[in-house]
Amino acid sequence: DKSGRLVFANSGFKNLFPRVASQLAATPDREALHARLASFGYIDPAHGLDAQNDGMSTGRREAFITETRLLDDRVIRTFERPIAEGGLVVLRTDVTEERRREKSIIASRDILARQTHELIRVADFEKRANREKSVFLATMSHEIRTPMNAVIGMSDLLLDTPMSERQQEYLRTIHTSSE
């Protein structure tokens, strides 16, 4: 209400903070609520439940949304909106599972990015290796072909010269093997 008193807490709020639920009627205002939540180990008393100051005490007129990590590691999203009659409407939602899923998605995305980077690196390495192999084979082919052409040409010339039958057989073997 206008005085900052807790007027109503629904079952959702009571489910978020079950140990405090039975004492809500005896909680006169926001500061007392925060003190009770701290005494039951839900929140750090130094930080309270909200990341921003109470809109009623600062005169703030706009709505805002904050998220707070409780001491039990749950994450609570708070939506506050001032109302025309004075006071605030405060909605609190447990978004712990959403945050866990987001962390998991981010971790998966990071893993995927690293794997993609590694695949690109390997693909680049493979391309370089294939280019180097092609250059090597072209060079080796040339290095082998040039002397082989000389062997073929010289063996052709030698076949036209007088030699023994055995020498001619060796030379024909060289000539046919080099073709």
Side-chain angles (χ1 to χ4, degrees):
D1 70 8
K2 290 186 226 181
S3 304
R5 290 179 304 212
L6 180 64
V7 176
F8 175 76
N10 67 10
S11 61
F13 183 87
K14 293 173 184 176
N15 289 336
L16 286 175
F17 306 106
R19 293 181 299 203
V20 177
S22 64
Q23 298 181 16
L24 287 176
T27 305
D29 59 23
R30 185 183 198 108
E31 288 74 29
L33 173 63
H34 288 192
R36 286 200 202 290
L37 291 171
S39 72
F40 281 98
Y42 287 115
I43 63 173
D44 180 348
H47 296 103
L49 188 57
D50 304 313
Q52 300 185 26
N53 289 330
D54 180 341
M56 292 180 61
S57 62
T58 62
R60 184 177 351 96
R61 295 282 180 222
E62 72 277 357
F64 71 93
I65 298 174
T66 61
E67 287 190 6
T68 305
R69 182 170 298 279
L70 302 181
L71 295 177
D72 62 5
D73 271 343
R74 289 183 297 155
V75 179
I76 304 299
R77 178 183 300 139
T78 301
F79 171 80
E80 276 195 22
R81 193 187 89 197
I83 55 176
E85 299 81 29
L88 296 169
V89 172
V90 181
L91 303 171
R92 299 191 197 281
T93 308
D94 187 342
V95 293
T96 306
E97 284 307 311
E98 285 179 44
R99 295 301 160 260
R100 284 187 184 137
R101 283 191 298 271
E102 285 172 2
K103 279 185 179 180
S104 176
I105 289 168
I106 290 168
S108 296
R109 183 197 65 200
D110 292 346
I111 290 168
L112 185 59
R114 284 192 299 274
Q115 290 173 337
T116 301
H117 177 72
E118 180 64 16
L119 287 173
I120 290 169
R121 191 186 67 74
V122 167
D124 288 345
F125 175 80
E126 291 291 328
K127 286 178 188 175
R128 280 194 315 276
N130 279 334
R131 281 192 301 268
E132 290 174 14
K133 179 181 78 173
S134 295
V135 169
F136 172 78
L137 289 176
T139 302
M140 289 309 295
S141 176
H142 174 75
E143 294 296 323
I144 292 170
R145 242 188 354 257
T146 302
M148 201 49 106
N149 285 335
V151 169
I152 293 169
M154 294 308 287
S155 63
D156 273 344
L157 292 173
L158 268 172
L159 284 172
D160 294 336
T161 62
M163 61 181 99
S164 70
E165 189 61 37
R166 190 172 184 177
Q167 287 175 322
Q168 283 185 353
E169 183 183 328
Y170 289 157
L171 192 53
R172 274 192 291 279
T173 302
I174 290 172
H175 186 73
T176 55
S177 295
S178 60
E179 289 183 322

